Amino acid sequence: YMVIINWTHVVYAERVIAAHDYLPCVVMQPNEDGLGYQTQSMADNSMPFQDMASALWNISLESSRRRVYDRLIYNPNLINKKDIDPADPVSRIPLKNAALFQGDLGKAIYQIPYRDDGANAGIQQAQMVSQFADDAAGQNKVSRGQFQKGNKTTAEFDRTMDGADSRQQLASIGIEHQFFTPVKDIVK
């Protein structure tokens, strides 16, 4: 137990008696890039890419919703708003006084045409941003377990991929050395 004021002055410290001679906490930092504890994790480094990709996907989805649902002009005397509000792909809209129209429903409701020429561009940009995240993290499709088509033999593929997982191995070695080795000593 310790009492520290402003992380600078130790007011009280109680001795911990344990057989392993360690404090009962383990701290680790697998990414050592010279910044000390300011170093961001792989997840922190990839969060901006994930935010950008999510925003681009959301733009595309909102555009699709708007194209299907949002652009209606309707006569409130003939159609209830609650009947057209649910975003249901198979919704039924009751029409009051249908005999007045004589087959021309355009007097009751009209869908404004919507053009979104760049809808597919958002999805392509999201895929590019995801690829940027993979490049920044040192990942590729094969290291994530996905099949990669190609015309290489097994030996050529192994030579090409030799050392491709060195970033992950370095992080694993750091985690083993900084965290699991002290934990194993504490448990023993």
Side-chain angles (χ1 to χ4, degrees), residues 1-3 10 12-16:
Y1 178 73
M2 296 182 80
V3 177
V10 178
Y12 176 77
E14 195 173 298
R15 184 172 182 205
V16 174

Side-chain angles (χ1 to χ4, degrees), residues 19-53:
H20 46 71
D21 237 6
Y22 286 108
L23 287 175
C25 66
V26 178
V27 178
M28 65 165 229
Q29 176 190 5
N31 296 333
E32 294 187 13
D33 56 3
L35 296 174
Y37 289 117
Q38 296 177 8
T39 299
Q40 292 184 330
S41 69
M42 188 183 294
D44 288 330
N45 287 334
S46 63
M47 282 175 59
F49 295 110
Q50 181 63 46
D51 292 341
M52 284 188 286

Side-chain angles (χ1 to χ4, degrees), residues 46-61:
S46 63
M47 282 175 59
F49 295 110
Q50 181 63 46
D51 292 341
M52 284 188 286
S54 296
L56 289 166
W57 270 100
N58 287 336
I59 288 168
S60 178
L61 292 174

